[in-house]
Amino acid sequence: MDRKTAAVLLLCLSAVFFIGCIDGIAGGGGDGVPDSTDEDTGDGAGEYDDWEDEPPEIEPSGSEYIADGGNRTTDTRLTGSAEVHFVDVGQADFTLFEGPEANVVIDTADWQDENVVPYLRGQGIEEIDLVLITHPDADHIGQLDKVMNSMEVREVWMSGTPHTTQTYEDAIDAVLGSDAGYYEPRTGEEFVVGRMRIEALHPEEGTLTGDVQRDSVAVRVVYGETSFLMTGDAGRGAESEMTEDAEEGRIELDSDVYQMGHHGSSTSSRRSFLEAVNPDVAVYSAGEGNSFGHPDDEVIERHAEMGIDVYGTDEHGTIVVEVGSDGNYTVGTGKDAPLVVPFVTPTVSVTVSVVSAVVESGADLGRDFSGGVLSVAP
Amino acid sequence: MDRVTDGVAVILVEEDGETVDEVHVEDIPSGIRVGDKVHLHSDDGDETKLEAVDEGEETERRLEKKLRRLRLRGEKTDGEE
């Protein structure tokens, strides 16, 4: 080997070494935040000795499942922007937390429709990191089978309370027929998916009642400085448990955006719970003219009294909250409509004749005056 | 019966292992609970009534078995089995 060849070889080796260093920084070591991939080096190092042409694929030492801590960075600082879509799917729930770095779906709308997969594809999404089904009612788990059969889903979470409907069985069969992981989150657990943190708020370990709505999974999803609270169809009992847990410091309920429990039903969003959540914005998902009376007038009134801006998919269509890395967020709506406010009984002006006064005083008959405005029910 | 929402029962009509329709019923007989299998009857006044049938337990067992299989995928489970 002459000097020139040796110099070129040395230069190449240096370049390889330098690239290796850069790769190490990009893998999570440079931001000062622990990265679970750092732990892989011990297990995989020996396999590099047998390299010939291509480096072998190395299995991560730990599970890649989100529920097991994942194989991702724990840095949840938001870089770029993220979007949360409360999709208008009629009398059902379907919410998409889109990017950056991960997509999470909470609930998959109603069994009678086919609008979840088309919506996701419309957003350019073919892979979903996590599908969380708050509970197995057919207006929440409705299209999970279609999602599982059409897209790559990394992981599915449910409450663990089974149902007996064919819709539920179709969903379970579809998950069993896929490669997706499965998990049942419990109060106090925290997970990181891409740049979002998911805090499980309900149900508590060992407290499943068998009532699918009562056992709803509730989570707080945090993007940078902005937080979203999702409670499925959790009612008073579950809200009380969460409020108590928050008072004891086990969980955090305070959130910027609250998806109103049970489509804005009177069964949910009690005042004490709302005070603990203390949201600026509330969103409900309900179908126009639905037969359940959602959202409930008193619930809307309660939000208005607390100065919370209320949006509904029946009034506003799909509602998209765009979250910026600066902690600010904006609310966009598919339909142009004013904020949802309590139903106010129409007021009607009437002229009141002071008949009694006339009778008593014997004053001029026929003297009328506009005595004021009365609230008159229609 | 899939669910009861604000006093309205939502019944998923299933035929040959497929869900084919959804019916909403306001008059829920006592003793019928969410998850029960029911028969739907229409009387002369075209009002739909529910009648419990004894098929729920078998379905329940089958689905709990499937759920257990699903839980085996995860390293962590609720520990309530």
Side-chain angles (χ1 to χ4, degrees):
Chain A
M1 187 187 301
D2 58 26
R3 278 187 169 190
K4 191 176 173 185
T5 308
V8 170
L9 191 61
L10 188 63
L11 192 63
C12 288
L13 284 171
S14 301
V16 168
F17 176 74
F18 182 61
I19 289 167
C21 290
I22 291 173
D23 189 44
I25 293 168
D31 55 10
V33 177
D35 185 333
S36 58
T37 54
D38 292 347
E39 297 168 8
D40 298 340
T41 52
D43 288 347
E47 298 177 42
Y48 287 85
D49 299 337
D50 299 321
W51 280 12
E52 287 182 358
D53 298 324
E54 294 287 328
E57 275 191 28
I58 299 171
E59 292 292 325
S61 60
S63 167
E64 287 191 8
Y65 291 142
I66 298 161
D68 293 339
N71 191 21
R72 296 182 175 211
T73 176
T74 53
D75 185 355
T76 55
R77 287 171 300 184
L78 185 60
T79 53
S81 62
E83 288 183 346
V84 181
H85 301 229
F86 297 91
V87 186
D88 178 13
V89 285
Q91 184 63 27
D93 269 6
F94 163 38
T95 307
L96 165 66
F97 289 81
E98 186 178 11
E101 298 181 25
N103 298 311
V104 171
V105 167
I106 298 186
D107 288 331
T108 53
D110 194 75
W111 73 276
Q112 297 180 88
D113 299 315
E114 288 198 24
N115 42 22
V116 175
V117 171
Y119 189 88
L120 292 170
R121 290 208 166 125
Q123 299 299 313
I125 293 171
E126 286 293 335
E127 294 179 13
I128 305 166
D129 294 80
L130 171 64
V131 177
L132 192 166
I133 301 294
T134 59
H135 66 291
D137 279 354
D139 57 336
H140 290 255
I141 201 173
Q143 294 168 55
L144 178 58
D145 58 338
K146 294 180 178 74
V147 172
M148 298 307 296
N149 294 332
S150 310
M151 302 194 142
E152 283 293 320
V153 177
R154 189 173 157 218
E155 205 155 321
V156 175
W157 293 0
M158 293 187 196
S159 67
T161 296
H163 211 337
T164 56
T165 61
Q166 189 62 50
T167 304
Y168 174 73
E169 186 162 11
D170 291 345
I172 294 291
D173 287 344
V175 180
L176 281 169
S178 75
D179 294 327
Y182 175 81
Y183 190 62
E184 295 166 3
R186 293 293 180 258
T187 304
E189 293 182 318
E190 288 191 10
F191 311 89
V192 173
V193 192
R195 292 277 168 171
M196 77 185 87
R197 188 172 74 245
I198 300 179
E199 302 166 5
L201 311 175
H202 192 267
E204 197 150 337
E205 179 90 38
T207 63
L208 291 184
T209 63
D211 178 326
V212 292
Q213 292 180 342
R214 173 76 172 75
D215 294 340
S216 282
V217 175
V219 291
R220 183 171 178 262
V221 181
V222 185
Y223 270 130
E225 302 295 319
T226 309
S227 49
F228 296 79
L229 189 74
M230 316 286 289
T231 61
D233 280 1
R236 294 187 186 95
E239 288 183 352
S240 294
E241 282 175 20
M242 287 187 269
T243 308
E244 207 170 290
D245 284 340
E247 283 167 1
E248 291 170 3
R250 296 186 60 213
I251 59 171
E252 174 80 56
L253 282 178
D254 191 279
S255 301
D256 299 296
V257 180
Y258 166 53
Q259 187 191 36
M260 293 162 69
H262 203 177
H263 316 274
S265 165
S266 60
T267 61
S268 308
S269 306
R270 286 197 315 164
R271 184 173 292 276
S272 57
F273 183 71
L274 264 186
E275 283 171 355
V277 178
N278 191 28
D280 296 319
V281 171
V283 176
Y284 65 82
S285 184
E288 205 174 343
N290 67 80
S291 54
F292 309 107
H294 296 161
D296 180 75
D297 287 340
E298 282 183 27
V299 171
I300 296 294
E301 198 172 333
R302 200 172 299 146
H303 284 72
E305 285 168 5
M306 294 175 69
I308 303 164
D309 290 348
V310 176
Y311 295 83
T313 57
D314 57 347
E315 298 283 339
H316 295 96
T318 295
I319 297 150
V320 178
V321 180
E322 188 171 353
V323 183
S325 56
D326 55 359
N328 291 322
Y329 62 89
T330 55
V331 181
T333 59
K335 291 184 206 166
D336 203 11
L339 293 172
V340 179
V341 293
F343 179 74
V344 178
T345 308
T347 56
V348 181
S349 290
V350 294
T351 301
V352 179
S353 299
V354 195
V355 177
S356 59
V358 171
V359 171
E360 285 174 13
S361 66
D364 296 343
L365 289 173
R367 190 184 69 169
D368 293 347
F369 72 97
S370 292
V373 178
L374 302 179
S375 289
V376 179
Chain B
M1 180 156 68
D2 182 58
R3 61 191 186 275
V4 177
T5 301
D6 290 65
V8 180
V10 178
I11 314 294
L12 302 182
V13 183
E14 298 169 354
E15 284 176 9
D16 301 326
E18 276 192 30
T19 313
V20 295
D21 199 4
E22 180 174 306
V23 177
H24 294 186
V25 180
E26 291 189 22
D27 187 16
I28 310 166
S30 60
I32 293 185
R33 293 177 168 193
V34 170
D36 285 350
K37 295 287 179 184
V38 295
H39 277 159
L40 292 169
H41 294 286
S42 290
D43 61 15
D44 293 340
D46 212 22
E47 187 185 349
T48 306
K49 291 188 173 177
L50 306 179
E51 185 190 337
V53 294
D54 197 22
E55 297 169 9
E57 281 185 23
E58 190 190 330
T59 310
E60 216 168 287
R61 273 197 299 272
R62 185 176 71 247
L63 288 169
E64 277 176 0
K65 197 174 169 187
K66 287 186 177 184
L67 186 58
R68 276 200 296 275
R69 277 175 57 202
L70 209 47
R71 282 174 171 157
L72 289 175
R73 289 187 174 192
E75 292 182 1
K76 292 192 280 184
T77 64
D78 188 41
E80 293 178 349
E81 294 171 52

